[in-house]
Amino acid sequence: MKLSWGFAVSSLVYAASAAQDGRIYILDPTPRASSLQAATTVDPATARLILAQRLGLARFHSIDKTCSDESLGQINAFGGVQQTLFGGEDVATQAHALVWIEGVDDADAVAGTPDSWTSSFTMAQPPSAADSKRLIEDMILQAQSLPEKPDPKGATYVSNEYIDFHLSKLRQPQLFNDYLTIFHLDLKSKDKVAKPSLEAISNAISALQAVEPKENRFAITLVVMPPTSSLSKRAASPYGTYDRPDQQGRGLVPTEAPMSLTTPEPATSPNPALPANMEGFPVFTQAEGNNTSPPLGILPRCFQSQSDCDKATNGCSGHGKCSMLHKGEPGSEGRKDCYGCICTPTVVKKGDADKKQHTQTTYWGGPACQKRDVSVPFWLFITSGVLFAFLISGGIGLLYSVGSEELPSVIGAGVSGPVRK
């Protein structure tokens, strides 16, 4: 009974830690109606793309071709209007405040009333504080590498003064490229710097929302993350892949392995592959048609539909076909349908037509059938090597045992002294 109670308590603790999600609140001077119809739960990779769109850093964050229509809709709904960040005609200021607070159990205690924000959404399974800090540092480098935009009326300068005045009461914020102010605070960090209370943070954010006159109001993005759980699993790239500018200004440095054979470049014209207001995002594309080149990167084992499987694996690299691996279970919490590649061997006939031909069979493996299956030759080589090593060592041991035996005593039987008469 004690064991069952202990197991129940540990399960509740784990469930409570896993149930904490990140919250992102958005305040735009010109709200968009599309944000009210979008799903309010996103994954970390989609949240990164939304932040990149809002901060004007879309050129460094490419949308993968496997991105679902739901994720594209969320980026389009919560990403804001790209032009407004850099002096659009409909907004007088291009200033933007990014406030990122880590280690908060109750997000509403920081954000205040939901009605004071244009929209908000949830980040499911948020990454650790260290991963979030790395993303913020990379976004800072991206903002610094952008060219400065003209501001003849000085509206951005005035707005930045408001931002600095209110946030400096908590801790001095940082301004990058004269338009982006980033305030990052980890309430659970072990540094000895005094940390403000949740009430003080909420009051400062409320003051940012109520800037007067209204012509000097600016876009605000508030990210509230829960404490990092020791039970949460770590991932290699929880926010996905993107490009980071070199600090010496020698170009872009990929933070992870590229997901395509093409190098993403800043878009110079509207991209027909993306919805409206998302032309700033480059897209990983490959040649249309019967493209069977092996896809790069880490691919999931299961896909939600056969079309997603064909698109992500390039038709299983031409070495198989996408089929249903197992059928899902009914119910929202049940197991969903799983589509994946079923590899087929490649048989090639070699030799002249007049002479005797022989066939060469190649087996394939991997989530996209992109890797040669060398398991049979490998085990044949290992087994043969072990067998030969056993025979050689046995022969040497047999020779050594024969050479170490004593000579028989019959050799000395014919040798005797003289006979006495």
Side-chain angles (χ1 to χ4, degrees):
M1 188 67 180
K2 292 182 179 180
L3 179 61
S4 62
W5 275 108
F7 177 76
V9 172
S10 61
S11 301
L12 290 175
V13 172
Y14 179 81
S17 61
Q20 289 184 328
D21 295 329
R23 291 289 298 174
I24 299 179
Y25 301 87
I26 293 173
L27 180 62
D28 287 324
T30 54
R32 303 182 61 191
S34 59
S35 62
L36 301 177
Q37 292 128 17
T40 56
T41 301
V42 305
D43 56 89
T46 304
R48 170 183 58 85
L49 293 173
I50 293 174
L51 293 177
Q53 173 76 355
R54 291 187 55 77
L55 303 182
L57 308 175
R59 67 181 65 183
F60 304 101
H61 301 257
S62 301
I63 295 180
D64 188 75
K65 61 181 181 178
T66 59
C67 188
S68 63
D69 294 338
E70 182 181 5
S71 298
L72 291 177
Q74 292 167 341
I75 299 170
N76 194 32
F78 300 111
V81 183
Q82 181 72 15
Q83 309 72 292
T84 59
L85 295 180
F86 297 105
E89 297 179 357
D90 55 341
V91 177
T93 175
Q94 55 187 340
H96 197 111
L98 173 62
V99 182
W100 194 302
I101 310 297
E102 290 276 354
V104 180
D105 294 313
D106 185 10
D108 294 336
V110 175
T113 59
D115 297 338
S116 61
W117 299 94
T118 306
S119 58
S120 63
F121 57 93
T122 300
M123 184 196 304
Q125 298 179 354
S128 64
D131 294 325
S132 299
K133 183 179 180 181
R134 179 185 177 186
L135 176 64
I136 295 174
E137 293 174 350
D138 292 339
M139 285 186 169
I140 289 174
L141 293 177
Q142 293 166 359
Q144 289 175 332
S145 66
L146 294 176
E148 294 185 3
K149 301 298 178 180
D151 185 17
K153 297 181 180 180
T156 303
Y157 177 80
V158 176
S159 299
N160 288 330
E161 282 190 334
Y162 283 113
I163 299 173
D164 183 81
F165 174 75
H166 292 293
L167 292 181
S168 60
K169 299 177 181 178
L170 308 175
R171 183 180 294 183
Q172 186 62 38
Q174 293 179 289
L175 177 64
F176 302 98
N177 205 357
D178 293 335
Y179 84 95
L180 177 60
T181 301
I182 295 181
F183 180 85
H184 178 234
L185 180 63
D186 188 359
L187 298 179
K188 300 297 182 180
S189 64
K190 298 181 180 179
D191 54 11
K192 298 182 180 179
V193 180
K195 299 177 180 61
S197 62
L198 294 180
E199 182 179 2
I201 298 175
S202 179
N203 293 335
I205 294 174
S206 299
L208 290 179
Q209 295 174 320
V211 167
E212 294 293 343
K214 294 183 178 181
E215 291 76 14
N216 290 329
R217 291 187 178 180
F218 42 84
I220 304 175
T221 302
L222 172 63
V223 183
V224 184
M225 302 289 279
T228 302
S229 174
S230 59
L231 301 176
S232 59
K233 296 181 179 180
R234 294 295 303 274
S237 53
Y239 284 106
T241 58
Y242 52 88
D243 292 322
R244 182 175 61 87
D246 189 1
Q247 294 182 355
Q248 283 75 28
R250 291 193 294 266
L252 301 179
V253 178
T255 57
E256 302 291 343
M259 300 295 292
S260 170
L261 298 177
T262 59
T263 303
E265 297 292 341
T268 57
S269 61
N271 194 333
L274 299 178
N277 300 319
M278 294 178 61
E279 293 83 3
F281 282 104
V283 184
F284 285 126
T285 58
Q286 291 180 342
E288 298 293 337
N290 297 327
N291 180 24
T292 58
S293 58
L296 302 180
I298 301 176
L299 298 176
R301 190 64 185 175
C302 288
F303 297 91
Q304 295 181 358
S305 63
Q306 186 174 358
S307 60
D308 293 342
C309 176
D310 290 328
K311 185 187 300 182
T313 62
N314 293 336
C316 295
S317 305
H319 303 143
K321 63 178 182 179
C322 289
S323 301
M324 180 179 291
L325 300 181
H326 59 77
K327 191 170 182 60
E329 298 177 357
S332 58
E333 301 297 333
R335 186 175 60 177
K336 298 181 180 180
D337 294 344
C338 176
Y339 290 86
C341 287
I342 298 180
C343 306
T344 56
T346 302
V347 180
V348 180
K349 294 183 178 181
K350 292 189 175 182
D352 298 333
D354 300 336
K355 300 180 181 179
K356 185 178 180 180
Q357 294 183 343
H358 66 278
T359 59
Q360 181 181 0
T361 304
T362 304
Y363 296 91
W364 304 94
C369 299
Q370 78 277 27
K371 301 178 181 179
R372 290 179 180 268
D373 187 1
V374 295
S375 58
V376 174
F378 173 77
W379 287 113
L380 182 61
F381 174 77
I382 292 296
T383 305
S384 302
V386 172
L387 179 60
F388 280 115
F390 176 76
L391 293 176
I392 293 173
S393 60
I396 294 175
L398 181 61
L399 293 177
Y400 180 78
S401 62
V402 171
S404 62
E405 290 183 359
E406 297 181 357
L407 295 175
S409 59
V410 296
I411 297 178
V415 181
S416 63
V419 180
R420 190 173 188 180
K421 296 181 179 179

